[in-house]
Amino acid sequence: MDTQKTPTPAAKKRSAAAQERLDQIVSAAVRLINARGFNGMSLQAVADEVGITQAGVLHYVGSKHGLLVEVIRRYYDRSSALDDYLSLFHPGGAFEGQSPKIPEYCRLLVAENNSQPELVMLFQMLNTEAMSTESPLHEYFNDRSRGVIEPEPDVNWSVPEGIDATEAISCALAAMYGLEGRWVARPDEIDYPAEWSKFEDILFPLPLWEGYR
Amino acid sequence: MDTQKTPTPAAKKRSAAAQERLDQIVSAAVRLINARGFNGMSLQAVADEVGITQAGVLHYVGSKHGLLVEVIRRYYDRSSALDDYLSLFHPGGAFEGQSPKIPEYCRLLVAENNSQPELVMLFQMLNTEAMSTESPLHEYFNDRSRGVIEPEPDVNWSVPEGIDATEAISCALAAMYGLEGRWVARPDEIDYPAEWSKFEDILFPLPLWEGYR
DNA sequence: GTTGTTACTTACTAACTAGTAAGTAACTCC
DNA sequence: GGAGTTACTTACTAGTTAGTAAGTAACAAC
């Protein structure tokens, strides 16, 4: 029964405080998942970081699985400069009629991920744990992996002759994932966008991709 | 004090039985790490799979960290068709004076890994957990990651003009890692070597890499 | 000013965690 | 046949795990 009529300003204020607390909980959970994995993380550790009791954490998320759901939700609530790029080529967009370029798309993705190392690490950790059929995220990440290779089926990419656009995206994203794993493991040693630009010379070598980058 | 003089056949037999038991323990541990990660796996679960008590497991490995050491050891005791390939180009090898080719090297790596999905998954899992500085394997995997990009510094790869061999290997291995993650997550859906051959067309496109593949 | 809701806390449970200590049965060595 | 070693087991400890139940203090609604 949803009795949520016009919420009073006071109710809004309280709910905002609650939202802030939930954010603290999710932030702590992300840090702990990155450090130990979801299986290795405990509700008590989350509670300690936030400064409340373990039962207090459960008050917000219900169960450990509920916490995982909130963490995933946070991952998806990121802003995506990417969808913005692709939508430019859709009917009504600024570049309607033109075709997007894979290297350009990749560069945007790299730039975006470069500003969110914590979420990149979270993705690597959960995605890896989800390899196991035992993981509650197994099907979820498998579906995602299938879908991401063809992010926008109605877009026709501008690629050189003899190059399969779908394969090029698939391969580029695999390389990106591999590089991201190295980067988040030693962020001080690796300049992610700089390394990517070197990868670009391999993935999209210049005589062939001239005009398509 | 090492009192290991000529071991009697009986001692050998006993030690062989012990080795077999240790193998069972390590095999169970690999399965459980793949399913839940090292942090999520317990000595009791290993013991249950082997059919002995948890204290029995500790008799062999001393501690949970000791079990991790044994698991890592198993990973490195794999045969490597790869080193064999590279050694052919060393002084005294059959191909002395010639240069190895990166795509060929990659194909061997893919073929070898394709026959060991369990160890590939183990690598993905431990490597990911080792992203965290908290992991006992953090430095270990970082060193490995640095080294693997230049597997044999004294080999001069045969590559097309304008291509940086080190970057090509680095990029190819990143893509391989990314593809392997997809493969072990859904082995029934993905034909790893077949997918790799499509990646080859992107990483080493034919007009450019003609004669270097 | 009562009634309800929110945001927690304390107190608890039952199961599980890695690790230790002290056995014991089987076998080997000499 | 006695001494030592191996491959375990039983029994235990101290700490941690997710989750439940029953509060309670602060505030809001009316």
Side-chain angles (χ1 to χ4, degrees), chain A residues 86-100 154-158:
Chain A
L86 283 175
S87 70
L88 293 176
F89 300 89
H90 280 155
F95 296 166
E96 184 178 352
Q98 298 179 52
S99 294
D154 51 332
V155 174
N156 74 317
W157 298 93
S158 159

Side-chain angles (χ1 to χ4, degrees), chain B residues 8 42-43 54 58 63-64:
Chain B
T8 61
S42 75
L43 296 176
Q54 179 245 29
L58 282 170
S63 67
K64 198 181 180 187

Side-chain angles (χ1 to χ4, degrees), chain B residues 35-212:
Chain B
R36 301 174 213 171
F38 180 71
N39 285 319
M41 173 221 75
S42 75
L43 296 176
Q44 186 61 60
V46 172
D48 289 348
E49 268 209 40
V50 174
I52 59 176
T53 62
Q54 179 245 29
V57 172
L58 282 170
H59 168 71
Y60 280 91
V61 298
S63 67
K64 198 181 180 187
H65 185 264
L67 176 57
L68 182 55
V69 169
E70 290 300 326
V71 166
I72 290 282
R73 194 193 311 280
R74 145 105 41 133
Y75 181 79
Y76 276 99
D77 283 354
R78 298 173 309 163
S79 69
S80 173
L82 200 65
D83 294 340
D84 297 350
Y85 171 69
L86 284 176
S87 69
L88 293 177
F89 300 89
H90 280 155
F95 295 166
E96 183 179 350
Q98 296 178 53
S99 294
K101 294 164 179 172
I102 292 172
E104 197 168 36
Y105 174 87
C106 288
R107 247 172 279 132
L108 278 168
L109 235 161
V110 167
E112 183 170 70
N113 288 349
N114 189 53
S115 68
Q116 308 174 322
E118 216 170 41
L119 289 181
V120 169
M121 192 163 177
L122 178 71
F123 179 82
Q124 295 257 338
M125 196 62 85
L126 294 182
N127 185 52
T128 301
E129 292 188 314
M131 289 187 310
S132 160
T133 51
E134 229 178 79
S135 163
L137 294 173
H138 182 72
E139 279 311 315
Y140 178 87
F141 270 90
N142 272 1
D143 290 348
R144 196 174 190 287
S145 168
R146 277 185 217 103
V148 93
I149 288 161
E150 296 175 61
E152 301 277 323
D154 52 333
V155 174
N156 76 315
W157 298 93
S158 160
V159 292
E161 261 201 45
I163 292 288
D164 180 322
T166 303
E167 278 310 317
I169 294 174
S170 173
C171 182
L173 291 181
M176 205 180 288
Y177 180 82
L179 180 56
E180 277 171 0
R182 293 180 200 164
W183 168 53
V184 294
R186 16 196 197 109
D188 301 337
E189 230 170 296
I190 292 174
D191 180 338
Y192 178 30
E195 284 297 320
W196 179 256
S197 87
K198 291 184 199 161
F199 275 30
E200 257 196 328
D201 294 336
I202 306 298
L203 288 161
F204 318 114
L206 251 191
L208 183 61
W209 285 77
E210 189 74 60
Y212 298 94

